[in-house]
Every structure is written in structure tokens, then in C-alpha cells.
Amino acid sequence: MKTAHPSRSRALFCASALAALTTLTGMPSPCQAALTLRPGGLNEGDLFRVLFISSARRDALSSDIAVYDSFIANLAASAGIDTYFGTPVTWQVLGSTFAVSAIDRVALDSVALFSMAGVQVADSGADLWDGSIDAPILADERGNFNEGLVHTGTRPDGRAANDPLGGRALFITELGLSSIVITNSSWVSAGLGGGGTQRFLYGVSSVLTVPQALNTVPAPASLALAALALLALATTTPARQR
């Protein structure tokens, strides 16, 4: 009969303890990456969306919006932000083709928008498309600082520009500019550039709901403390040498 290697047994023990701690306390496991943003000023049950500037670049030659949606969704999944406290999150490109406008993704509604850093970008969908924003979109899908030219194909009012993603002759597309000093309409419509050039894209989440506060989630305190003790034991007890 095979005997499990001590280091492997210890790793499995640690994983079990972490799983128990996550289940009992409602806290995200340190082994997991997940969207756990709780924007300041919002209360339990409030609605919001999240925006990011992509960490990776790509061209804007395709006229199929699904191509850009897949690019954004894959980045989000890789960063572990495709769920929000257990609820699936849909990520789409915030951009326009001839067939789809960015305003179709973020309508003129009352839902506030925040960056991955928790900074409020716009009070609402209407505020996003009124010619200025509250703060630039500078955090990528992992919350790291990023800035530069962005393929948007979009006018300041959210409608498809004359040169959208996958645009017309010469592969020209409308560009936005993500910069720490830009909060006017240039964030989405700063001028034209080559669609074949690798540039960033903006991503936007589906509407999220601020969950119940962790300190009000019922969880047996004694069991949670036991899980913490197991975790401490698993991570501090040296493996026995054979």
C-alpha cells in the first residue's frame, strides 16, 4: 500500500482547512482570486458596475463585437474576477462596432460605475456619457495601474463613431485616452488611430449587487475559530521526516 508523501498530505490538509474557513466565515480564500470590491458610499443591496482598462493589448480589425467581448472575458477569468461573492459576472468590452454601440452595454440608467481600485468613475450610466467622468479608468483587471491609448470606436455620447472597431477603409478607429489627467470626453473619444495597432480596451461588468456585510453573515464562531486553528497548524507544523 502506498503512503502519501508528508508534504503532499500537509498541502491537502492546508487546502481542507482553507476551504472550511471560507465556508464558515464567508471570507474569500487566499488561494482564490475573486472580485470582492465593496465600493465606498454604497450600502447592502445597492447596484453598481465595474470598469477596467485591459492589461493586454490587441488590434481593432474585427467588426464582430464578440471577438472583443471574448478578449475582455478571458482577461477577467484569468484574473479571477468572473464571480462576485459566488455570483457569476459577465464582462464585455466597452466599445462600439457598426452593429453595437457602447451605450448598449451601459445604458442611461442610474447605476454607478467604479474602477477596479474602488474609485467612482461615474455616478450613473447617464453620467458616463455626458462628456466627462469623475475619475479616469486606470486600474486593469488585476487592480494594477495602467494608462495609454484605448480602442473604443465610440463617440462621447456612447454611440458608435464614424470609425468604430473593425471600421472602414485604412483600418482607422476612434481612440480613447486613459490618463491620470484626463476626465473629459477624451477618455473615450480622443481622435483617430490605426486599427491594426495593438492597443488597450475597456471592460465593463454586468450589474452587481453589494452583498450582506461579512460581519452580519451568520457563521458558528466556534467552528470558524476551529478552522483558523487547523489552518495555523497546517502552515506552521513542520513535516515529520521519515
Side-chain angles (χ1 to χ4, degrees):
M1 185 175 73
K2 292 183 179 180
T3 303
H5 192 279
S7 61
R8 183 177 181 183
S9 298
R10 187 178 176 208
L12 291 172
F13 186 58
C14 177
S16 297
L18 287 171
L21 178 61
T22 301
T23 300
L24 292 172
T25 65
M27 295 188 298
S29 164
C31 294
Q32 295 176 318
L35 183 61
T36 56
L37 182 66
R38 293 172 179 269
L42 298 187
N43 301 311
E44 176 186 332
D46 286 345
L47 305 179
F48 69 102
R49 290 186 179 92
V50 181
L51 297 164
F52 68 73
I53 180 174
S54 63
S55 62
R57 298 173 174 89
R58 62 152 294 135
D59 63 59
L61 297 179
S62 177
S63 60
D64 184 357
I65 197 71
V67 170
Y68 307 103
D69 285 343
S70 294
F71 176 79
I72 291 296
N74 288 338
L75 288 176
S78 177
I81 58 171
D82 51 351
T83 61
Y84 183 62
F85 290 96
T87 299
V89 180
T90 299
W91 289 94
Q92 298 178 310
V93 68
L94 189 63
S96 304
T97 62
F98 282 121
V100 178
S101 289
I103 198 170
D104 298 330
R105 273 77 205 288
V106 179
L108 301 176
D109 57 24
S110 60
V111 178
L113 296 102
F114 293 82
S115 74
M116 282 292 296
V119 177
Q120 183 169 297
V121 174
D123 302 337
S124 62
D127 185 35
L128 186 69
W129 304 122
D130 69 356
S132 66
I133 52 178
D134 299 339
I137 305 166
L138 297 173
D140 68 18
E141 68 277 4
R142 295 181 183 275
N144 298 318
F145 178 86
N146 204 359
E147 62 179 352
L149 290 171
V150 183
H151 287 305
T152 67
T154 304
R155 301 171 188 249
D157 62 5
R159 294 180 297 146
N162 291 333
D163 296 283
L165 304 177
R168 301 175 296 179
L170 302 179
F171 306 109
I172 299 298
T173 189
E174 186 72 28
L175 302 176
L177 177 59
S178 172
S179 169
I180 197 169
V181 298
I182 297 295
T183 56
N184 61 21
S185 62
S186 293
W187 76 271
V188 68
S189 181
L192 300 177
T197 302
Q198 304 282 311
R199 304 190 198 280
F200 302 113
L201 293 172
Y202 291 127
V204 61
S205 74
S206 49
V207 176
L208 308 177
T209 304
V210 178
Q212 186 179 11
L214 289 178
N215 60 7
T216 63
V217 175
S222 57
L223 292 179
L225 290 173
L228 284 170
L230 287 172
L231 178 57
L233 178 64
T235 55
T236 59
T237 303
R240 180 176 297 174
Q241 301 296 320
R242 297 192 60 176

